Amino acid sequence: EHILKHSLGLTYGNKIYRNHFVTGKGSPDFDSCVTLTKAGYMTRQHLPDHGGSDIFRVTAKGKALFPKAIPDPDDTPPTGEKI
């Protein structure tokens, strides 16, 4: 839950103002992000130009875990290849 909250900017408030978490293999949070992706709570996109890290974004299923969160009015889905 901490990773999803941090990804959405909900660590210190209840308004969603972002939707991303960048991490890579070997990072303490990487395996948790992969697990959340497999469960449908996040998507994953590889960033070869950023040191080989991946960017994870919270899906609608993941956002549903925070029903009291105020959504970002400009919450448009990103483009890019999902892996």
Side-chain angles (χ1 to χ4, degrees), residues 3-49:
I3 290 173
L4 295 175
K5 280 181 142 180
H6 180 75
S7 300
L8 296 171
L10 297 174
T11 305
Y12 301 108
N14 68 339
K15 183 176 182 187
I16 295 172
Y17 67 90
R18 65 176 177 217
N19 187 356
H20 67 277
F21 192 96
V22 178
T23 187
K25 291 181 182 176
S27 167
D29 297 314
F30 182 77
D31 290 338
S32 295
C33 288
V34 170
T35 299
L36 288 165
T37 299
K38 288 179 181 178
Y41 294 106
M42 298 186 96
T43 61
R44 177 181 173 192
Q45 180 182 355
H46 188 62
L47 301 172
D49 296 336

Side-chain angles (χ1 to χ4, degrees), residues 32-82:
S32 295
C33 288
V34 170
T35 299
L36 288 165
T37 299
K38 288 179 181 178
Y41 294 106
M42 298 186 96
T43 61
R44 177 181 173 192
Q45 180 182 355
H46 188 62
L47 301 172
D49 296 336
H50 290 85
S53 293
D54 295 330
I55 186 167
F56 294 84
R57 292 186 174 90
V58 182
T59 63
K61 180 179 177 180
K63 289 177 186 178
L65 297 174
F66 308 100
K68 294 183 180 181
I70 301 166
D72 182 347
D74 187 33
D75 192 13
T76 55
T79 59
E81 181 180 336
K82 296 177 188 172

